[in-house]
Amino acid sequence: MRNTSTTTVPLGSPLYTQVKQEVLAALARGEWKQGEAVPPEKTLAERFGVSIGTLRKAIDELAAENILVRHQGRGTYVAVHTRNHHFFKFFRIVRQDGHKSYPATQLLRFRRVRATAAVRERLALPAGAYVFEFSNVLSLNGDVVMVDDISLPESRFPGMAEYHLRERPSTLYALYQDVFGVNVIATDEWLRVGLADATHAQWLGVTQGTALLEIRRVAYSYNKQPVEWRVSRVNTAAYEYLGQEAGGVLGA
């Protein structure tokens, strides 16, 4: 490849994998925004110094991952994630009878603070960095089910204010995409059992010390850039976590 980059790929990776990482790096730099066309395949192949076949294989993988989308006769575009696909790809709490629904969300608190060491580690932030912290309580089918405690790096969400969260017309990830140009494309999650402290017990309407499902999540934008740290606490008396369905991602 003629293109020089700091993108790291494992030694011995196929050439198309290297091209894929270069495209992701370009997306992370903001070269092409959501909904915009990427350059023609011939132009990209020349840029990266590879054959059209190699370039197409990289684009095929990005399209399969819903990062890029091909439009017949028009070219290849950066995907804009729609509400249904994006929401149910990442929201996996369902009623125990399997019923899926959108939650009603209430913002409980919002503040700008210096990131703790633990948050800095999760979001790859330098010492002294600021984050926006906020908490939402989510209800499903009229039941208060979970609380999300969320941290966002100020550097990625400049100007974030409480009204953005209170007045958003759609999902959080749609807000990130539409207002701040941050597109969440993947997450890592860790699940464990925790006990409700006094604050979360009050918000969830349970007794302090009640066992809760605790979901810790880092959300990533292009090129594995961490953009959100979230801890969700779920009352599983009538609800449960549904992971990947057979044959694909939940809601895909």
Side-chain angles (χ1 to χ4, degrees), residues 5-249:
S5 169
T6 58
T7 301
T8 302
V9 294
L11 291 175
S13 296
L15 190 55
Y16 77 87
T17 301
Q18 299 176 45
V19 174
K20 176 184 175 182
Q21 293 304 315
E22 293 294 348
V23 174
L24 287 170
L27 288 166
R29 292 191 297 269
E31 289 191 35
W32 315 302
K33 307 293 186 184
Q34 292 87 7
E36 291 183 354
V38 301
E41 290 180 349
K42 183 174 185 295
T43 301
L44 288 176
E46 291 175 351
R47 169 176 172 170
F48 299 125
V50 297
S51 68
I52 289 289
T54 296
L55 188 281
R56 283 180 180 164
K57 195 163 185 180
I59 298 299
D60 285 344
E61 284 209 353
L62 292 167
E65 294 170 11
N66 200 37
I67 294 171
L68 300 179
V69 58
R70 286 191 171 97
H71 292 295
Q72 189 67 33
R74 293 170 50 202
T76 302
Y77 290 74
V78 182
V80 176
H81 293 122
T82 60
R83 184 177 189 242
N84 282 343
H85 173 83
H86 215 215
F87 184 78
F88 285 116
K89 178 180 179 182
F90 298 115
F91 186 80
R92 297 170 181 164
I93 302 303
V94 301
R95 203 164 60 192
Q96 288 178 0
D97 63 4
H99 176 70
K100 290 185 281 187
S101 59
Y102 288 101
T105 303
Q106 178 187 359
L107 179 67
L108 299 173
R109 62 185 177 190
F110 174 86
R111 60 185 181 176
R112 174 182 177 268
V113 296
R114 286 189 186 274
T116 64
V119 171
R120 291 201 310 270
E121 180 180 0
R122 294 296 188 179
L123 294 176
L125 298 174
Y130 279 85
V131 294
F132 296 110
E133 287 185 352
F134 57 97
S135 299
N136 289 325
V137 62
L138 285 73
S139 301
L140 292 167
N141 311 300
D143 303 320
V144 176
V145 176
M146 63 189 293
V147 173
D148 287 338
D149 295 315
I150 298 171
S151 298
L152 305 177
E154 183 182 43
S155 58
R156 297 300 305 268
F157 296 86
M160 168 74 81
E162 187 171 335
Y163 77 86
H164 286 116
L165 302 171
R166 291 198 183 278
E167 300 175 13
R168 59 187 172 90
S170 185
T171 66
L172 266 181
Y173 286 179
L175 172 71
Y176 298 171
Q177 174 181 264
D178 298 340
V179 177
F180 299 97
V182 174
N183 202 343
V184 173
I185 63 171
T187 61
D188 283 335
E189 290 187 338
W190 300 264
L191 277 64
R192 66 186 187 186
V193 175
L195 301 179
D197 61 20
T199 298
H200 290 95
Q202 179 181 3
W203 287 347
L204 287 168
V206 299
T207 304
Q208 185 174 349
T210 297
L212 303 172
L213 173 64
E214 196 169 282
I215 307 168
R216 296 172 171 247
R217 174 198 291 178
V218 177
Y220 301 97
S221 188
Y222 304 116
N223 220 23
K224 204 69 172 178
Q225 292 186 340
V227 295
E228 180 200 72
W229 169 241
R230 176 186 305 222
V231 180
S232 301
R233 295 172 175 87
V234 185
N235 179 2
T236 59
Y239 291 81
E240 60 192 7
Y241 179 94
L242 177 63
Q244 287 192 337
E245 294 179 334
V249 177

